[in-house]
Amino acid sequence: MIHKIVIGILVVSLTSAIAQDGATLFKNNCGMCHKLGARLVGPDLINITQKRSKEWLNKFIKSPQSLIKSGDKDAVAILNEFNQILMPDQNITDTQINDILKYIEENSPQTSATNAPTQEPQKPEEPIISDKKAYASLVEKGAKLFDGRIRFQNGGPTCVACHNVNSYAITGGGSLAKDLTDVYTRIGDEGIKGVLSGLPFPAMKNSFENHPVTEEEAAAVSAFLRQVSKDSRETNPFDYASLLVWGGLPGILILLGIYSFIWYNRKKKTVNHSIYSRQIKSY
Ligand code: HEC
Ligand code: HEC
């Protein structure tokens, strides 16, 4: 009797250990970029096991890069949808992938594959700004950290070494990595802080692993990126094309006036007239 209970407890704790394993694996390997129920750096993975086959998922998770290179249509489409941000290849076993997929499945609402809801990408939550002045100085600090006018406390490289943003507040950045002008709109405060603390991209891991960005610094940079994406959505880019048309029009009219003045004399007799006289002569 006692034995049966002990075995029962063992089985229960074993299965919960496995379930937890999936959760932990997900959190540690995927959580900086993926969430269930919202998009972050990468797509929302809710119900993913209904959308894609296990086999495809296994291949994709191990090496998105090889699947994309092989020309797999779905993989290429997701890459394009996600602004060409490439998910790094994961050093992960089949069993670990199974555990992660099981965790995802258990934490996705049960729906049949055919009428799985097409998820509207959820907007990242906006933090509430209570003190506008403090916020403005946070944004300014973020801009200075971003382009190196203020050094990171732990000596990490400036963001402009690799990234650019479209903002008058900073001087031109690098093009090694993606432009971050609208990154806040896509991944939000949580996503940016997640990238800075989790360092899911190899290039950033190399740069910041031993020089972590502090929480305060991350908050400032995130506030700056929020402002940049807001500004770029609100300002109408100056319309050079119509300037050319409307600025050019008076010029063209003046030129036409000058030409018609110069040619005035020559036009007294029409072209037809000279042709007519030539033909008369040849008779
Ligand atoms: C550095 C960020 C990052 C990490 C870490 C990461 N992913 Fe991704 N993932 C992405 C991005 C970005 C995409 C979409 C672009 C692409 O195809 O590369 C993606 C796409 C996916 C897709 C395809 C989704 C679809 O709609 O078909 C799956 C599945 C996936 N990831 C699973 C995982 C799992 C599981 C892990 C953890 C083992 C993981 N990812 C870790 C960034 C990441
Ligand atoms: C050594 C180069 C390097 C530096 C320095 C660097 N990054 Fe990155 N970052 C990358 C690369 C590479 C990626 C992966 C995406 C890509 O290919 O552009 C990335 C991705 C990101 C992403 C996710 C982009 C997205 O669209 O989902 C964010 C956010 C980000 N970086 C913020 C920062 C911030 C903030 C700093 C400064 C604290 C910084 N990075 C410094 C190279 C760098």
Side-chain angles (χ1 to χ4, degrees), residues 40-41 83-86 146 152 157-163 176-180 183 186-187 191-192 195-196 201 203-204 207-208 213 221 225:
L40 220 49
V41 174
N83 197 24
Q84 300 285 327
I85 304 277
L86 195 61
F146 196 89
F152 284 106
T158 61
C159 314
V160 285
C162 300
H163 295 282
L176 188 85
K178 286 270 133 54
D179 185 291
L180 297 180
V183 74
R186 285 191 295 109
I187 71 179
I192 289 165
V195 167
L196 290 178
F201 297 103
M204 285 184 68
S207 307
F208 294 103
V213 173
V221 170
L225 290 174

Side-chain angles (χ1 to χ4, degrees), residues 108-130:
S108 297
Q110 295 292 315
T111 40
S112 73
T114 42
N115 61 14
T118 36
Q119 287 265 324
E120 275 293 309
Q122 218 173 308
K123 279 232 154 195
E125 246 177 78
E126 296 264 317
I128 297 149
I129 302 164
S130 46

Side-chain angles (χ1 to χ4, degrees), residues 26 41 48 53 73 82 110-113 149 160-161 166 172-173 187 189-190 200-201 209 218 225 235-237 240:
F26 182 82
V41 174
I48 195 69
S53 73
K73 257 200 200 145
F82 278 79
Q110 295 292 315
T111 40
S112 73
R149 278 170 291 163
V160 285
N166 188 4
I187 71 179
D189 189 57
E190 187 185 351
F201 297 103
E209 194 170 24
L225 290 174
T235 47
N236 288 319
Y240 286 101

Side-chain angles (χ1 to χ4, degrees), residues 5 31 39 41 74 89 103 119 123 128 138 140 173 182 190 193 209 212 216 218-219 254 256 259:
I5 291 171
R39 58 157 87 185
V41 174
D74 290 330
D89 289 357
Y103 162 78
Q119 287 265 324
K123 279 232 154 195
I128 297 149
L138 193 67
E140 197 189 329
D182 66 354
E190 187 185 351
K193 286 178 179 162
E209 194 170 24
E216 288 92 335
I254 291 169
L256 282 178
Y259 285 147

Side-chain angles (χ1 to χ4, degrees), residues 128-145:
I128 297 149
I129 302 164
S130 46
D131 184 345
K132 281 206 170 143
K133 227 170 153 189
Y135 184 75
S137 78
L138 193 67
V139 169
E140 197 189 329
K141 185 181 171 202
K144 288 180 174 165
L145 284 166

Side-chain angles (χ1 to χ4, degrees), residues 25-26 28-34 40-45 48 51-52 56-57 60-61 64-65 68 74-88 90 92 97 100-101 104 195 199-202:
L25 281 167
F26 182 82
N28 293 343
N29 297 290
C30 327
M32 315 81 124
C33 298
H34 292 288
L40 220 49
V41 174
D44 185 355
L45 292 184
I48 195 69
K51 206 166 119 198
R52 315 262 187 223
W56 187 92
L57 286 170
F60 183 92
I61 293 166
Q65 323 213 10
I68 287 161
D74 290 330
V76 171
I78 310 159
L79 183 69
N80 287 333
E81 192 191 331
F82 278 79
N83 197 24
Q84 300 285 327
I85 304 277
L86 195 61
M87 168 170 151
Q90 302 291 307
I92 201 168
I97 290 180
I100 290 173
L101 293 181
I104 293 176
V195 167
L199 303 174
F201 297 103

